[in-house]
Amino acid sequence: MIKLVISLLPLLIKHGCCCCGCYRCCSLISIIKVVVVVVVSPHKNILRWIFLNNKSTREACSYGGRVKAQVTTEVPVKVVKESKKQEEGIVVNKFKPKDPYTGRCLLNTRITGDDAPGETWHIVFTTQGEVPYREGQSIGVIPEGIDKNGKPHKLRLYSIASSAIGDFGDSKTVSLCVKRLVYTNESGELVKGVCSNFLCDLKPGDEAKITGPVGKEMLMPKDPNATIIMLATGTGIAPFRSFLWKMFFEEHEDYKFNGLAWLFLGVPTSSSLLYKEEFEKMKEKNPENFRLDFAVSREQTNDKGEKMYIQTRMAEYAQELWELLKKDNTFVYMCGLKGMEKGIDEIMVSLAAKDGIDWLEYKKQLKRSEQWNVEVY
Ligand SMILES: Cc1cc2nc3c(=O)[nH]c(=O)nc-3n(C[C@H](O)[C@H](O)[C@H](O)COP(=O)(O)OP(=O)(O)OC[C@H]3O[C@@H](n4cnc5c(N)ncnc54)[C@H](O)[C@@H]3O)c2cc1C
Ligand SMILES: NC(=O)c1ccc[n+]([C@@H]2O[C@H](COP(=O)([O-])OP(=O)(O)OC[C@H]3O[C@@H](n4cnc5c(N)ncnc54)[C@H](OP(=O)(O)O)[C@@H]3O)[C@@H](O)[C@H]2O)c1
Ligand SMILES: *[C@@H]1O[C@H](CO)[C@@H](O)[C@H](O)[C@H]1NC(C)=O
Ligand SMILES: *[C@@H]1O[C@H](CO)[C@@H](O)[C@H](O)[C@H]1NC(C)=O
Ligand SMILES: *[C@@H]1O[C@H](CO)[C@@H](O)[C@H](O)[C@H]1NC(C)=O
């Protein structure tokens, strides 16, 4: 169905260059250092978007801003809060494994440096507007080929890394942030993860079977004045890039973020700091509303000489974080490696204890009011 009109026009766009003064464009460009443009018929505006330093490009950008987002008229109330999970219009499982959507890879860029341990890729797929998703949801991908029993591969889930209107602002794409899984097994042989390698190897124009969207745990709170604390390790950054684009790179008639967004991101090396330039741009533009802290585990330590994990960085702000957690409109989101949850609980236990509060009990209460949201794997 999709007609590839022109293909593969590799372009070198200078780092930090901005085509139109619109922050979403600037940032996408800064992560895509070598941009491969594939013009698919519904995507003519990408060409405009990338090339032009003129009015039509700005229009393409502001088009994104006019797309309707969530209705935000709720004032946070202590006990009865309207659940984000019951919100109207959230689609789940539109595409099931038996009848998946076939998307096409529009671009695929490695976003970790050459010396990073492992590779992570930012991948954009066309959806033609057929896969409607919200910030915080995931999609499934069914990799090509068959497993060792001759059956088609099972789907793997991936957190969506773009906001609901997508990286191009036209509601016709969905993006992922995928780490290539490679490890040495017990017999000393190199094993490549099936789906992550399928995804990281996709070339523009290649097809991928997509299911979903799924997931309600990581949906954003409706309150535009909320404090949103985001805790990510590695590719766990995906849903937060989605949140942050909506908050800081887009204009929505019915959602103008004016709370505090605080992102903690833990990665092994500075060459694996995902989407760093985008986040720094957001901070520069919104110093009052955005805080950004990195934990670079293999390069930094705390003053006791301990490895700088995300919880180690959080501990520097322990009292402040605890005060924020006592507020009714503070929402914590955690995404990434399973191990991080335990580490974060440990610092919270001691903080809560100072106020005579049992952290595990308190956390249950926060979970019930959707203020503590976890998706780790
Ligand atoms: C809700 C959710 C969201 C997710 N979001 C993302 C995301 O945004 N980005 C992302 O990159 N991933 C994400 N994942 C993980 C993703 O679903 C896949 O699990 C991951 O990409 C690996 O899949 P694969 O097909 O490449 O590996 P597979 O071929 O499925 O191999 C994985 C298996 O290999 C084995 N294995 C893995 N590592 C080792 C090791 N070091 N030593 C020995 N055995 C090992 C384990 O048995 C493991 O189950 C998410 C998972 C969930 C549940
Ligand atoms: N929704 C979800 O469920 C979801 C979404 C996206 C990603 N993920 C998963 O998240 C993981 C991210 O992996 P990645 O390979 O991208 O990460 P990575 O690049 O290896 O970075 C993870 C960082 O976390 C550190 N770390 C290791 N153990 C930790 C612990 N117990 N507590 C805190 N920090 C710890 C690592 O430090 P060292 O390596 O130096 O020890 C490293 O700095 C993957 O397993 C991916 O499948 C899940
Ligand atoms: C401005 O954009 C239009 C529409 O894409 C294009 O035809 C025109 O050449 C551009 N002008 C300049 C000066 O780049
Ligand atoms: C958010 O705060 C602004 C100004 O502080 C206020 O005018 C607005 O009503 C608040 N919105 C909600 C939904 O509480
Ligand atoms: C290790 O990987 C190789 C290649 O994938 C496979 O043939 C072998 O069975 C694996 N060994 C173990 C112990 O898993």
Side-chain angles (χ1 to χ4, degrees), residues 112 117-120 136 138 157-160 177-181 218 232-239 265-269 272 274 295-299 307-312 334-344 374-377:
T112 44
E119 289 178 9
T120 301
S138 299
L157 291 175
Y158 293 90
S159 306
I160 295 170
C177 172
V178 180
K179 167 103 176 240
R180 188 191 288 281
L181 175 66
M218 302 293 279
T233 48
T235 53
I237 193 63
L265 170 61
V267 294
T269 61
S272 38
L274 307 170
V296 184
S297 61
R298 301 185 195 174
E299 295 173 11
K307 204 164 173 174
M308 185 58 77
Y309 276 153
I310 183 168
Q311 59 270 29
T312 322
M334 191 189 300
C335 189
L337 292 171
K338 222 182 206 101
M340 69 189 288
E341 192 173 13
K342 190 163 163 280
I344 288 167
V374 179
E375 205 162 81
V376 290
Y377 42 99

Side-chain angles (χ1 to χ4, degrees), residues 53-213:
N53 189 14
N54 75 14
K55 194 159 158 274
S56 59
T57 312
R58 279 193 293 278
E59 277 163 11
C61 292
S62 62
Y63 167 69
R66 288 201 301 272
V67 174
K68 282 252 175 344
Q70 304 171 346
V71 181
T72 52
T73 48
E74 297 303 309
V75 181
V77 183
K78 184 95 193 153
V79 195
V80 194
K81 254 187 268 180
E82 193 189 329
S83 169
K84 62 179 194 262
K85 289 161 197 174
Q86 253 90 66
E87 203 189 323
E88 275 177 45
I90 294 171
V91 175
V92 285
N93 286 317
K94 178 174 175 191
F95 293 97
K96 304 192 176 62
K98 285 210 170 89
D99 191 15
Y101 176 79
T102 301
R104 239 176 232 279
C105 172
L106 203 54
L107 43 92
N108 191 359
T109 317
R110 198 180 72 187
I111 54 172
T112 44
D114 293 340
D115 62 331
E119 289 178 9
T120 301
W121 294 70
H122 181 79
I123 312 169
V124 184
F125 293 99
T126 58
T127 63
Q128 312 248 306
E130 291 294 316
V131 188
Y133 61 88
R134 290 288 174 86
E135 293 82 4
Q137 288 192 293
S138 299
I139 53 171
V141 174
I142 305 171
E144 208 165 65
I146 49 172
D147 65 17
K148 58 179 190 298
N149 302 317
K151 297 242 174 72
H153 286 300
K154 296 218 160 49
L155 69 86
R156 270 65 163 182
L157 291 175
Y158 293 90
S159 306
I160 295 170
S162 49
S163 67
I165 61 174
D167 284 348
F168 297 100
D170 60 3
S171 303
K172 287 181 177 166
T173 65
V174 63
S175 306
L176 301 180
C177 172
V178 180
K179 167 103 176 240
R180 188 191 288 281
L181 175 66
V182 186
Y183 64 93
T184 310
N185 73 7
E186 287 156 15
S187 27
E189 289 186 70
L190 203 67
V191 182
K192 289 171 138 197
V194 174
C195 195
S196 59
N197 282 273
F198 165 75
L199 285 168
C200 295
D201 289 336
L202 286 177
K203 300 281 176 291
D206 289 350
E207 289 183 348
K209 293 199 174 86
I210 292 171
T211 65

